[in-house]
Amino acid sequence: MQFPDGFLWGTATAAHQVEGGNVNSDCWLLEHVKSTFFVEPSGDACDQYHRYAEDFALLQRLGFNSYRFGIEWARVEPEEGEFSRAEIEHYRRMLAACRERGLLPMVTLHHFTSPRWIAARGGFESSDTAGRFARYCERIAKDLGDLIGAACTLNELNAVSLLQQMGTLPSDEKILTSRWRAEASHAMGVAPESFSAFPFCAQSTIRDNILRTHREGYDALHSGRGKFPVGMTLALQELVPAEGGEDRCAAALRESEDVFIEAARGDDFAGVQTYTRRFFGSKGPLPPPKDAECTQMGYEFYPEALEATIRRTAAIAKCPIYVTESGIAALDDSRRVEFIRRALACVERCIRDGIDVRGYYYWSMLDNFEWILGYGPKFGLVAVDRTTQERIVKPSAEYLGRMARANSTSDPVTRA
Ligand code: BGC
């Protein structure tokens, strides 16, 4: 099928995961406290802070027409109210370079990391963060809005609720009394109850704050130069009830997904980010079925989950959809090709049924810093030599690039 004109074919990254040296962020701090739970620090990451021109040239050569990347709040506003003109100029150069390569820049204003001072003022556990985020968004809209192609306010603002439903986040009490939180707050000169870094935060307070942060950020981004679309991105899985798990599954869907999707109503778009499906039993989430193929992350290999999440989001949010992340961590790149092929077939079926899907961004352009798991999981279309920073293009990059160039899922080389 030929995709609609103007369909965006992209890859996605986040500032902290690829730029390197994000020293003013809360994440950098957590990577360096004595009791850190990160397996290794982010360090130089992929040095995209300095190598963006080379990366954009590569994306253009491959055939993409868009790139999703992060603007790092911790760089732009390293101390409260102190905006760095030099860093804003850096992102201006980056946006311009992106456009010069024929790539529409989609930016993310907050992709998990915040400035340290935000974390020391309660992060998203504090109701003041919404206003502070809006002030930062306003500045970005004013100074960079003329070059932005599309903007995501917060990446996966439902992440905490999702981790909670999946049983992977410690209890509020454990987080509040953890050694790492004590050490990080000590480093910032505040009491442990004042320090909060997303998504490792006490869960009970943050949902309303984060939804308000999106809303105020959304309005602020519309206040400046440029008429680009703005939306949130959501971590969505296909949640499937196993026998006896119907109630738990319905509750998880409601708590971790639907309330957030509903908040996207009236926005310019909703960003769907899907990696797998999850079964629910009577006691909660179940591990993948015994015979299932699993990815490097331990997720079930199930690209079709994307079809369910696109359909659900479109039905509830009633706004255009971008698939802002879809991907797989795999050492065997042929599994990535297969994943992409089947994920795009989902997009195609949705478009055929009249759903307004406007773009597909593969996560990720580069093998990068996978948060607490460090550099182990390989999500990239392009490998990165960790010593020389050399980019090594994988066959999956060429594969997706060919479809991008043809604006179609029929690959002229494999005819698949
Ligand atoms: C996040 C990325 C992350 C990816 C793979 C998404 O939830 O937005 O930052 O690297 O998943 O785990």
Side-chain angles (χ1 to χ4, degrees):
M1 185 188 102
Q2 206 52 34
F3 272 41
D5 285 348
F7 189 83
L8 296 178
W9 295 85
T11 66
T13 57
H16 189 80
Q17 293 176 272
V18 297
E19 282 185 345
N22 189 18
V23 299
N24 287 317
S25 66
D26 53 358
C27 198
W28 185 275
L29 176 60
L30 290 182
E31 290 162 26
H32 292 88
V33 293
K34 206 156 151 244
S35 313
T36 185
F37 44 87
F38 285 75
V39 302
E40 59 185 323
S42 52
D44 289 337
C46 305
D47 194 27
Q48 193 176 71
Y49 187 83
H50 300 106
R51 292 167 198 263
Y52 63 85
E54 180 193 324
D55 286 344
F56 296 167
L58 176 58
L59 290 172
Q60 181 185 42
R61 193 221 11 104
L62 287 166
F64 293 97
N65 63 9
S66 187
Y67 181 53
R68 173 175 174 234
F69 64 93
I71 290 181
E72 182 57 53
W73 188 4
R75 289 189 193 275
V76 169
E77 193 182 358
E79 294 295 340
E80 178 157 23
E82 278 182 37
F83 287 90
S84 163
R85 294 200 67 83
E87 295 291 4
I88 293 173
E89 273 309 305
H90 164 81
Y91 287 114
R92 205 169 167 81
R93 285 192 298 276
M94 212 173 152
L95 286 160
C98 200
R99 284 184 176 273
E100 275 159 28
R101 291 289 180 182
L103 304 164
L104 188 88
M106 173 184 276
V107 296
T108 309
L109 278 291
H110 184 277
H111 196 128
F112 297 166
T113 50
S114 300
R116 287 175 184 227
W117 62 266
I118 278 285
R121 286 164 178 72
F124 293 101
E125 290 170 35
S126 159
S127 57
D128 294 333
T129 294
R132 293 173 172 140
F133 181 71
R135 180 180 54 188
Y136 151 64
C137 289
E138 205 177 296
R139 180 66 186 245
I140 294 297
K142 177 166 127 335
D143 290 353
L144 304 176
D146 55 325
L147 290 177
I148 291 174
C152 309
T153 53
L154 297 132
N155 182 67
E156 299 188 342
L157 70 171
N158 64 327
V160 174
S161 303
L162 186 72
L163 293 173
Q164 187 182 23
Q165 292 301 326
M166 295 305 139
T168 40
L169 210 58
S171 65
D172 279 11
E173 204 206 320
K174 274 213 168 113
I175 288 183
L176 288 165
T177 57
S178 63
R179 284 174 75 170
W180 57 264
R181 185 153 163 152
E183 289 163 6
S185 56
H186 179 73
M188 293 301 295
V190 297
E193 56 275 19
S194 307
F195 183 91
S196 175
F198 190 83
F200 316 106
C201 20
Q203 300 129 49
S204 46
T205 48
I206 78 150
R207 180 195 285 175
D208 292 348
N209 288 339
I210 207 149
L211 285 171
R212 206 151 60 76
T213 306
H214 165 71
R215 191 54 44 222
E216 294 192 20
Y218 181 95
D219 292 341
L221 285 165
H222 275 308
S223 71
R225 292 199 278 167
K227 289 238 170 306
F228 50 87
V230 181
M232 62 171 78
T233 84
L234 293 163
L236 304 172
Q237 299 179 344
E238 182 178 351
L239 302 184
V240 188
E243 214 188 306
E246 292 78 5
D247 292 348
R248 281 299 296 262
C249 188
L253 206 53
R254 168 101 214 116
E255 293 300 307
S256 67
E257 300 196 356
D258 291 359
V259 286
F260 294 91
I261 304 176
E262 282 162 12
R265 271 188 202 144
D267 286 359
D268 304 327
F269 70 87
V272 169
Q273 313 200 152
T274 298
Y275 290 85
T276 192
R277 70 173 162 185
R278 197 70 73 116
F279 290 95
F280 267 74
S282 57
K283 297 199 179 85
L286 299 170
K290 278 204 179 57
D291 52 349
E293 175 185 350
C294 287
T295 73
Q296 244 190 323
M297 298 291 280
Y299 304 157
E300 182 185 0
F301 181 99
Y302 190 69
E304 284 71 23
L306 183 59
E307 184 164 347
T309 57
I310 293 176
R311 288 184 189 278
R312 191 172 184 83
T313 307
I316 299 175
K318 301 183 171 56
C319 62
I321 307 283
Y322 291 98
V323 177
T324 40
E325 287 182 27
S326 158
I328 176 185
L331 293 172
D332 175 357
D333 191 55
S334 66
R335 300 314 293 150
R336 190 175 343 274
V337 170
E338 176 66 3
F339 187 94
I340 293 171
R341 187 182 70 74
R342 284 163 51 183
L344 282 171
C346 297
V347 175
E348 185 172 318
R349 285 192 291 273
C350 290
I351 295 177
R352 272 189 211 281
D353 286 350
I355 299 176
D356 189 2
V357 188
R358 300 191 175 179
Y360 176 87
Y361 294 76
Y362 177 81
W363 181 273
S364 178
M365 175 193 179
L366 302 166
D367 284 342
N368 62 39
F369 182 67
E370 182 53 26
W371 307 110
I372 61 173
L373 302 176
Y375 291 97
K378 308 294 185 203
F379 276 95
L381 297 172
V382 177
V384 177
D385 181 312
R386 298 237 42 77
T387 311
T388 63
Q389 295 287 356
E390 187 196 345
R391 277 40 177 166
I392 303 137
V393 175
K394 302 180 193 177
S396 54
E398 306 279 2
Y399 172 74
L400 183 56
R402 283 196 298 274
M403 290 194 277
R405 223 175 284 126
N407 197 30
S408 157
T409 47
S410 133
D411 176 19
V413 170
T414 61
R415 291 275 163 229

